[in-house]
Amino acid sequence: MYGKAIAPEYQGALTTLSVNSSLDDVLTVGTERLRAAERAGERGEAARSGLAVAEAHRRLGQVREADRAWKASYRAARDAGDVAAMAWALWSGGTLARQRGAFRLARRLLGLAAGLGEQGGDIVVRGYSLAGLAETGRIQGDYEAVGRLHEQLLAEARRRGEARHTVWALEGIAQMHRNSGAHDTAYALFEEAAQIAAGAEDRRGHAWALRGLADIVSARDGDTERALGLLTEAEESCRAMNLSGALAYNHKMRGNVLYRAGRYPEARQLYTQALGEFRAMGEPRGEALSRLGLTKALARLGRARAETAAELAELARELERIGLRHAREMVARAQSELGVETAAPDTAVPAPTSASTPTPTPAPAPAPTSISGTAPTTGVSDERAAVAR
């Protein structure tokens, strides 16, 4: 039913690149082709090569370079009169904005991209842009608003036999079920996503599905070793493709698994590692979620309640500012779990006989500025926000 996964963001002279190509290779080849197109005055080719460059930078966590690259791709596409290429550039910019936590800007850019995709007759970029809008709402915890859109996009992807998009939709729906407590449903969806991704040779999608399965195996079944084995398998793909963001979330999930097992010193180490990785990439959402895990681990290791309470209160304010509803609820549960709302100032939090931690989805650093004086007619301009899949 599904063919081999493809990467439609690798366009023009770069269509020979695989969905599993190392991001370092994509960046090298894409930059070479971009420079050649610029020298030859081939604006359309520069736009499409620039898209690959922007996406490689984004997935490597190089946010400033990604910001410059997608805007340059947009300008080249506009100069070439290539509406579809303009849509792809805006999709990249919107995805970067979501990754960096600038959800308002992400929705604006992705909405523009969907409209230009339809105008330019490119159903793929339109679908990717709508998917981006759905994922933005899901990350913010607005499940009721975007659940139906996820289902619609899943049906369209299945109908066209698009493995990569089918896997994305399954994983998004699975995560919403997991966060709502429907572990069995979530497991079945993650399992299907993993099977489709493996058959389509989509290593990125497969790694994310394994991460979801590990979460449920740990939270629902208490099977720590199996969960860690799934994460190890996923990490191999992340390292092979140099997926910085996915690897950081893998490490944070490993911390969650160890925390649930009561292995607090190991959990502290993994949360600290993930925190450093997210900070290096400028992803405030991933950073905040790693801080949450680290705070809980430190509390179990004897940190004073007053310090724990202060850290959780600060995290709550930060997540409220970013606009992450589900993550904010996680902080509230942590405050209740650790008993810090009315805790005595210098009393350590006792370790429970069993611990559990809710798990977030993949995620968010400084927002892009304007498209250097060039904006679509609908008005992409100088909207700014702090920003961090």
Side-chain angles (χ1 to χ4, degrees):
M1 179 180 179
Y2 299 100
K4 185 176 180 179
I6 60 172
E9 67 270 32
Y10 301 154
Q11 302 174 7
L14 303 177
T15 54
T16 55
L17 290 173
S18 163
V19 68
N20 297 319
S21 294
S22 162
L23 294 177
D24 291 323
D25 292 342
V26 173
L27 187 56
T28 297
V29 176
T31 301
E32 290 175 354
R33 182 55 198 152
L34 172 60
R35 298 294 172 253
E38 288 175 337
R39 287 193 300 269
E42 300 172 349
R43 302 301 289 164
E45 182 60 32
R48 296 187 180 273
S49 298
L51 173 66
V53 171
E55 283 300 287
H57 279 307
R58 180 182 69 80
R59 290 164 178 162
L60 287 167
Q62 299 164 356
V63 294
R64 290 179 179 82
E65 294 86 347
D67 191 38
R68 288 194 295 266
W70 81 259
K71 291 171 183 174
S73 175
Y74 176 84
R75 290 193 298 269
R78 182 206 58 186
D79 292 346
D82 190 333
V83 175
M86 290 166 63
W88 276 108
L90 289 171
W91 164 79
S92 181
T95 305
L96 176 66
R98 183 184 66 243
Q99 178 177 309
R100 299 162 75 188
F103 298 116
R104 180 183 175 190
L105 179 60
R107 287 192 296 271
R108 186 176 186 186
L109 294 176
L110 290 166
L112 290 168
L116 287 179
E118 185 169 5
Q119 181 182 331
D122 189 327
I123 62 171
V124 178
V125 70
R126 176 184 176 276
Y128 270 54
S129 300
L130 291 175
L133 287 168
E135 186 163 349
T136 301
R138 176 174 58 78
I139 287 173
Q140 291 188 274
D142 197 0
Y143 300 160
E144 184 177 351
V146 301
R148 186 175 299 177
L149 181 54
H150 271 79
E151 295 285 358
Q152 174 190 330
L153 293 169
L154 173 60
E156 291 178 4
R158 286 191 191 279
R159 187 165 58 250
R160 293 197 295 266
E162 294 178 357
R164 191 179 177 206
H165 222 74
T166 299
V167 168
W168 165 84
L170 285 168
E171 291 171 349
I173 296 167
Q175 193 65 54
M176 286 187 281
H177 281 296
R178 186 267 177 262
N179 290 346
S180 301
H183 290 168
D184 292 348
T185 301
Y187 185 91
L189 292 168
F190 277 128
E191 188 173 47
E192 182 182 359
Q195 292 171 348
I196 294 173
E201 300 178 28
D202 175 6
R203 296 188 71 178
R204 182 185 294 111
H206 191 245
W208 281 113
L210 292 179
R211 176 184 172 279
L213 288 172
D215 180 26
I216 296 171
V217 165
S218 166
R220 182 191 66 181
D221 306 333
D223 193 337
T224 302
E225 295 311 312
R226 185 182 170 211
L228 293 175
L230 290 166
L231 290 170
T232 297
E233 182 181 352
E235 183 167 346
E236 292 174 359
S237 292
C238 293
R239 291 194 180 280
M241 298 176 65
N242 199 8
L243 299 172
S244 303
L247 186 60
Y249 275 100
N250 183 293
H251 292 155
K252 190 197 68 65
M253 179 59 69
R254 190 176 289 269
N256 287 359
V257 170
L258 292 168
Y259 179 90
R260 293 183 188 123
R263 293 159 61 172
Y264 304 123
E266 295 172 85
R268 175 182 58 188
Q269 180 181 350
L270 266 296
Y271 286 134
T272 300
Q273 179 180 352
L275 179 58
E277 291 167 336
F278 284 122
R279 281 178 172 165
M281 291 182 284
E283 291 202 14
R285 178 174 180 263
E287 180 180 339
L289 293 170
S290 297
R291 282 177 59 196
L292 173 59
L294 180 58
T295 299
K296 294 176 66 174
L298 289 172
R300 296 303 182 192
L301 290 169
R303 189 185 195 185
R305 289 188 185 226
E307 294 180 29
T308 299
E311 178 72 7
L312 289 176
E314 182 184 344
L315 271 171
R317 289 191 293 270
E318 175 66 9
L319 291 167
E320 191 73 32
R321 182 190 66 79
I322 296 174
L324 296 169
R325 181 189 308 172
H326 175 69
R328 176 62 185 85
E329 292 170 356
M330 290 168 61
V331 174
R333 286 195 291 270
Q335 290 170 322
S336 176
E337 175 191 332
L338 299 174
V340 296
E341 298 100 332
T342 57
D346 294 309
T347 307
V349 179
T353 54
S354 63
S356 63
T357 298
T359 306
T361 30
T369 54
S370 66
I371 307 179
S372 187
T374 65
T377 54
T378 40
V380 179
S381 59
D382 60 351
E383 194 166 346
R384 289 171 172 82
V387 195
R389 197 188 219 235

